[in-house]
Structure formats: C-alpha cells, structure tokens
C-alpha cells in the first residue's frame, strides 16, 4: 500500500486510492470561493483498520494544500482526523469551517 498514491479524480469530484481493484475515496464539492467541501469518506471493508482512510485523508490534504485551496470538513472521518492532527493541518481550514 505504501507505493499507492492518492489521486484527485476531478471528473468524479473525489480523491481516491485504488487497491487491488477496490477504491477508497473521499467525495468533495468545490464551493464558489474555491473551498473544498470534504463530504464523505469510504474505505472498502477488506481494507478497514489498515490505515487506508488516514492515508487517504492525509494525501488528499496535501493535494489541496499544493493547489492553495482551503477546506470545509463535513465528513465525520475527516473532521476526526483533523482534530487528531490539528497542528499540521489547521492552516488549511476555510474561515467558516468548524471542527
């Protein structure tokens, strides 16, 4: 899994990792001001508990940061990750975003 990278699938509006034909993903919407609303995270059952979700969130946030965007974390999994890693990613929160 270490060599598998998260990709931004813009046509589908989601960040995703493809693992043995299965897809873990975070659905997102882009707001009028360019903010990325992270809506829903899903990891296939066979990969739960293996750190796939955390890797997906972390690498998605890196992609967002590289594109100089801000986030609004609506997904509970993403919010939980951000609370646990607040000091590393708080600068990415949109002004209106709450944790």
């Amino acid at each position: 899994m270490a060599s598998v990278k998260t990709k931004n699938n813009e046509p589908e509006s989601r960040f995703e990792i493809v693992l043995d034909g299965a897809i873990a993903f975070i659905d997102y919407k882009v707001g009028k001001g360019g903010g990325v609303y992270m809506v829903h995270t899903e990891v296939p059952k066979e990969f739960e508990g293996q750190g796939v979700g955390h890797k997906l969130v972390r690498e998605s946030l890196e992609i967002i940061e590289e594109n100089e965007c801000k986030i609004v974390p609506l997904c509970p999994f993403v919010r939980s990750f951000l609370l646990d890693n607040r000091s590393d990613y708080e600068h990415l929160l949109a002004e209106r975003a709450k944790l």
Side-chain angles (χ1 to χ4, degrees):
M1 181 183 68
S3 63
V4 179
K5 295 291 285 174
T6 299
K7 298 204 183 319
N8 183 3
N9 181 342
E10 289 185 54
E12 296 290 327
S13 295
R14 67 186 192 183
F15 297 104
E16 59 186 35
I17 298 176
V18 179
L19 303 160
D20 296 331
I23 299 174
F25 62 89
I26 299 175
D27 284 328
Y28 67 84
K29 305 279 185 221
V30 178
K32 289 180 185 176
V36 178
Y37 291 75
M38 301 176 88
V39 181
H40 173 73
T41 302
E42 195 165 311
V43 174
K45 286 217 177 283
E46 62 267 29
F47 295 104
E48 288 179 357
Q50 298 178 35
V52 173
H54 285 106
K55 175 181 172 62
L56 178 62
V57 174
R58 187 174 41 260
E59 291 180 356
S60 297
L61 293 172
E62 290 169 6
I63 292 168
I64 290 167
E65 185 170 30
E66 287 169 8
N67 287 287
E68 299 179 358
C69 294
K70 296 291 184 179
I71 61 167
V72 179
L74 301 178
C75 170
F77 186 82
V78 173
R79 289 170 61 101
S80 175
F81 178 90
L82 288 168
L83 284 169
D84 291 343
N85 299 278
R86 182 181 289 239
S87 62
D88 295 328
Y89 299 104
E90 193 167 39
H91 66 282
L92 293 177
L93 290 173
E95 280 185 34
R96 63 196 168 282
K98 304 262 191 265
L99 287 181

